[in-house]
Structure formats: structure tokens, C-alpha cells
Amino acid sequence: MIVETTERQPRWLSLALTGAIAAGMLSACHAKAPDAKEGKGGRSREALVTVATVQQKDVPLQVKAIGNVEAYSSVAVRALMGGQLQRVHFQQGQDVRKGDPLFTLDARPQQAAVAQAEAALERDRAQERNASEQFKRYSALFKEGGVSQEQYDQLKTNLAAIQATVQSDRANVDNARVQLSYATITAPISGRTGTLQVTEGNLVKANDTTPLVVINQVSPVYVTFSLPQKDLPQVTQYQAQGKVKVQAALPGSDRLTETGTLTFIENAIDPTTGTIKLRATFPNEAKRLWPGQFVKVAVTLTTLPNAVVVPSRAVQTSQQGQFVYVAKADDTVDARPVVQGQSNDGDTVIEQGLKPGETIVTDGQLQLRPGAKIKVYTPGADKAPGEGGRRRHQEGR
């Protein structure tokens, strides 16, 4: 015989079991319901993106580098005579023209030397005139036999000696005047003055190692840069066909605002770096380029006609290479591998993979995968794809 025994459960335990069962059923119901974030009907989320149309246009073929601005010419101004500096005719950093006075030195010793040389010249010229008259008179007497040959030769020699002395005196006068001209120092070139090394009242040495001032010619100006040796054949090829345009972007800017011409290619490649030095000349009339600056340089070789172009930000990189997201008619995207060409002013040439007129994603790529649903961002209607760490747009928000 089997005897079944039962114990009566407390009332509070029964109530607890009933509540647990009810909570489990409610949780199960909620798990089966569609996620509100997925949208109505359980649809997948739509990523908010911006798009652009693939264009076809002429694009310049360029090679780019970092260049250094150099003065077209630079002159260190030094004194050619010693003396006290009496006057400075310019301000530091001032633009000067060739021939403008820069410095005036104490010229009194040189002025005295000029006066002395001129006086000696006048004295000897008077003796020359007297000797010349005597020679004329004795020449007539010599022809008549009234003067011996010895006397005639002596007068002729005296005249020649005095004439040589006069020539020497003229040279001394010229030299004294040249020395006097050194007292006024003028600008040898047109350009901008640098730091003034001496001030009025100081003694100046002739040909001192420290220049009085340095003048740099900044209009025109040079920009020197280096290119890899692989680019040299193209550069020389297009230079042989005509002038090669070079553009420069100022520091802190990506816009190529200054335009010059390639004027020099070094005669040898640097074997340590595998690069070759080039130089372009810029008119620099607005003086935006300054010696010592580093600038972005673009050498325009030719123009690529009818190139397929997309915004550079549309091109993404994966382990398999470059790709772009192409928007399809059903509001989904496809990852399309592409072959990227050169980039210029925010645009990138696509050599293979895209056709003109196709729509591509330009922003919001981090939230995409092949086949993902997208919604095109409309300015003023939704938050931009990049806001808040590229937040996803959810339908119904």
C-alpha cells in the first residue's frame, strides 16, 4: 500500500509564486513585441547620410610637394670705407628701390682728399701749358738752326713728363672722388630691408664681417621644392612643350592662390633621397609669399579631359582597398571597389569603378554596411549625419 502525504503550504508562498508566474508571462509578451527602435512593422533602422552625384569634368594633372620660399636676390650691405655713421635714411623693414640712399658717413676726410688732388692737378696743368709753349718756340728755332738737338730733346722730354704727371693727377682726382662716393651708401637692389645692425653715431669699419643691413628682393620670389625621381620624366616632357604652371598655397590654407612658372630643374638627382630639386618663379606682386615660408606646391602638367570625379570624403579605405558606398533606387547602399587617381581641391579622380550620374554617399559611412537602408539628409529637417558622433536617424523621432 502506498500512502500519499501532503503538507499544507503557507498562504504567503502561494502569493509569491503567483506573482513570479505573472511577471514571466508579461516579460515574454514584451519580448515578442516589435522593437520600437526598429520602426513600424519591425523594419530595420535607416541611416541618415548625405549623398552626391558622380561628375565628369576636366581635371588638371598635378604633382604636389612642400616648397620653401626664397628671396629672388639677397644683398648684405657693407661699408667700403671707415668712418662715423652720420645718418640712416630708412626704417627697418621698409621697401627701398635700387639707388635710394641708405646711410651717410662722415665724408670730411674724403672731401679734403678730393680738394688736394684737384689742386695738384691744376698746378701740374699750369706747368704743362708753360712747357708746351716753350716747346713750340724752341721747335721753330730748332728748324732754323738756332737751337741744338740736345736742347730740343730736353724740352720735348720735359713736356712729356709733365703731361704724364697731369694724367696721374687726373687719376688721383678720380680715385679721391670714388672714395668720397663711398660716404653715401645706396641700395644695390630693390627690395625690403631687414634688421638694422648699427645706429647713427657709431663707427663703421670698411668691409666689416657684420653687414649694416640685409636687403631681400621679394618681388619676384623663388619657391624651391623637391619631387620624387619617378615624376621627373613627366615634368621634363611637359616643360619641353611649353611653360609649366606652378601654384602655391599659403600656410594655413589649402587654396592655391599664388601662381608662378617652373624655371629651374637641378642637373642631378640626390642619391640619398631619390628626389630632384626644382624651382619656380612667382611674381609675388601682392607680397603674400615671404622668404623662409613653407608652402604647399602643385605643379600642373596638363589637363585630364572628361575625368570621373567624386568628393574626396566619399572614398573609404578597407583591407581590400578603396571603395565607395553607392546609393541604389531602393534606398539601400552597395560597397563598390574603386581605383583612386589623383586628388585636387577636395575632389578625387576615380579611374575605375564608377560612372557619371551615379549617387554616392559622402557622409555617414560609419553606420553603413552593404545592403543597409539609408535616408538622405535634408538641411533643416534632420540632424546632420556627423552630429553627435554620427547619430543614426530613427523613423518616428
Side-chain angles (χ1 to χ4, degrees):
M1 175 183 293
I2 299 176
V3 180
E4 179 179 358
T5 61
T6 61
E7 296 182 3
R8 187 172 181 178
Q9 295 177 346
R11 180 177 179 84
W12 64 269
L13 181 60
S14 299
L15 293 175
L17 291 174
T18 302
I21 293 172
M25 294 178 64
L26 181 61
S27 176
C29 291
H30 278 290
K32 292 180 181 180
D35 189 354
K37 293 184 179 181
E38 294 181 355
K40 298 178 180 179
R43 293 184 300 177
S44 61
R45 287 180 279 191
E46 294 177 339
L48 184 63
V49 299
T50 59
V51 298
T53 302
V54 180
Q55 297 182 352
Q56 189 173 29
K57 61 182 181 180
D58 296 343
V59 176
L61 175 62
Q62 296 179 327
V63 289
K64 298 185 176 181
I66 299 297
N68 179 248
V69 182
E70 299 177 356
Y72 190 81
S73 60
S74 181
V75 176
V77 180
R78 292 180 171 87
L80 295 177
M81 57 167 274
Q84 187 181 39
L85 181 59
Q86 289 189 330
R87 187 178 177 186
V88 178
H89 298 272
F90 66 95
Q91 299 291 330
Q92 298 181 88
Q94 176 184 335
D95 288 327
V96 295
R97 299 183 64 85
K98 183 178 180 180
D100 287 349
L102 301 178
F103 304 96
T104 299
L105 304 179
D106 184 4
R108 288 176 296 178
Q110 286 69 32
Q111 290 172 347
V114 170
Q116 185 178 9
E118 290 176 342
L121 174 60
E122 288 301 321
R123 179 197 62 200
D124 293 335
R125 287 181 63 184
Q127 294 180 359
E128 178 191 20
R129 289 192 295 268
N130 181 55
S132 178
E133 292 297 329
Q134 285 185 351
F135 179 72
K136 290 179 182 179
R137 289 195 300 267
Y138 279 84
S139 294
L141 294 174
F142 175 73
K143 292 178 181 179
E144 297 175 357
V147 176
S148 66
Q149 182 70 42
E150 182 179 359
Q151 288 178 315
Y152 175 80
D153 292 340
Q154 183 64 45
L155 291 171
K156 184 178 180 180
T157 302
N158 291 341
L159 176 60
I162 293 176
Q163 288 175 339
T165 302
V166 170
Q167 291 296 327
S168 176
D169 290 340
R170 288 196 177 100
N172 291 336
V173 170
D174 291 340
N175 180 63
R177 288 174 178 170
V178 169
Q179 296 298 320
L180 177 60
S181 69
Y182 293 159
T184 301
I185 303 174
T186 60
I189 61 172
S190 297
R192 176 161 293 220
T193 58
T195 302
L196 182 63
Q197 300 296 334
V198 293
T199 55
E200 295 177 0
N202 285 283
L203 291 176
V204 175
K205 296 181 180 179
N207 299 312
D208 196 1
T209 56
T210 301
L212 303 178
V213 71
V214 175
I215 300 177
N216 285 333
Q217 186 175 357
V218 295
S219 181
V221 75
Y222 288 133
V223 174
T224 301
F225 55 96
S226 295
L227 292 178
Q229 59 182 354
K230 65 180 181 64
D231 294 328
L232 180 60
Q234 271 190 322
V235 174
T236 54
Q237 172 189 350
Y238 288 106
Q239 189 187 39
Q241 299 174 5
K243 293 183 178 180
V244 175
K245 184 173 70 172
V246 180
Q247 293 176 289
L250 298 175
S253 172
D254 292 329
R255 293 187 58 191
L256 300 171
T257 57
E258 302 299 313
T259 302
T261 304
L262 182 65
T263 52
F264 171 75
I265 300 177
E266 186 58 270
N267 58 5
I269 294 174
D270 187 347
T272 59
T273 60
T275 60
I276 187 165
K277 180 180 177 181
L278 299 93
R279 177 183 292 160
T281 302
F282 288 74
N284 199 31
E285 295 176 354
K287 294 183 175 61
R288 295 190 182 96
L289 299 177
W290 217 247
Q293 277 182 335
F294 287 95
V295 294
K296 297 177 182 178
V297 176
V299 183
T300 302
L301 302 177
T302 187
T303 300
L304 301 175
N306 300 322
V308 177
V309 178
V310 300
S312 298
R313 63 181 183 274
V315 182
Q316 304 295 300
T317 302
S318 68
Q319 294 180 348
Q320 289 74 34
Q322 281 76 33
F323 70 96
V324 298
Y325 283 110
V326 179
K328 299 193 293 186
D330 59 355
D331 292 334
T332 62
V333 294
D334 184 25
R336 182 86 58 82
V338 296
V339 177
Q340 178 180 347
Q342 71 161 11
S343 297
N344 183 28
D345 292 338
D347 290 334
T348 297
V349 175
I350 302 299
E351 298 178 353
Q352 294 180 14
L354 292 176
K355 296 179 180 179
E358 291 187 293
T359 302
I360 58 172
V361 177
T362 58
D363 200 3
Q365 294 97 327
L366 292 180
Q367 52 188 330
L368 297 181
R369 65 183 186 279
K373 298 284 288 184
I374 62 170
K375 182 175 181 179
V376 177
Y377 164 66
T378 302
D382 299 294
K383 291 185 177 180
E387 292 183 0
R390 299 185 184 273
R391 297 171 183 170
R392 296 180 177 180
H393 175 73
Q394 299 172 357
E395 185 180 90
R397 280 193 175 185

